[in-house]
Amino acid sequence: MTQSTMSLVLYFVVFFGIMYFLMIRPQQKQAKKRQALLSGIKVRDQIITAGGLYGKITKVKDDSVILLIAEKVEVEVAKSGIVSVENRDIDLEKAK
């Protein structure tokens, strides 16, 4: 290999290394945190959905939850529609 080919390969390696640390790794950490949030929900958690509904979980199913949004008003929401849990913090260390 010539000197210019070696430097070109080195540039590509450095470029992909930078891309990994700036784009791929943060996305993986965010996905891990989201998975911990969804797997850690339980009854009586107060949540916010992607549609902006605030409510309290009354029942947890496999792929959905029953959410109490007003007195005697319950709706079923997909777990993927849950944006945040308001009454507690999800710890990443426990999710490992």
Side-chain angles (χ1 to χ4, degrees):
M1 288 187 151
T2 64
Q3 182 69 21
S4 63
T5 308
M6 290 293 282
S7 64
L8 183 64
V9 170
L10 181 64
Y11 285 132
F12 276 120
V13 169
V14 169
F15 175 75
F16 285 118
I18 290 171
M19 293 299 287
Y20 174 78
F21 283 107
L22 292 179
M23 295 181 71
I24 297 170
R25 190 163 181 247
Q27 285 181 346
Q28 289 175 340
K29 288 176 81 174
Q30 186 178 17
K32 186 182 237 184
K33 186 175 181 179
R34 174 119 176 102
Q35 184 61 37
L37 173 100
L38 293 179
S39 65
I41 59 174
K42 58 186 179 188
V43 175
R44 293 193 311 267
D45 279 347
Q46 294 178 359
I47 64 167
I48 301 175
T49 67
L53 290 175
Y54 287 74
K56 186 184 292 188
I57 296 176
T58 58
K59 185 177 181 183
V60 178
K61 296 182 178 181
D62 289 335
D63 294 330
S64 63
V65 295
I66 304 297
L67 188 64
L68 181 69
I69 58 173
E71 190 174 326
K72 297 182 183 179
V73 179
E74 292 183 335
V75 293
E76 187 169 0
V77 178
K79 282 186 179 180
S80 61
I82 296 173
V83 175
S84 68
V85 178
E86 290 297 303
N87 60 327
R88 62 187 173 87
D89 291 330
I90 304 297
D91 190 12
L92 270 180
E93 297 303 317
K94 290 182 183 178
K96 286 184 179 179

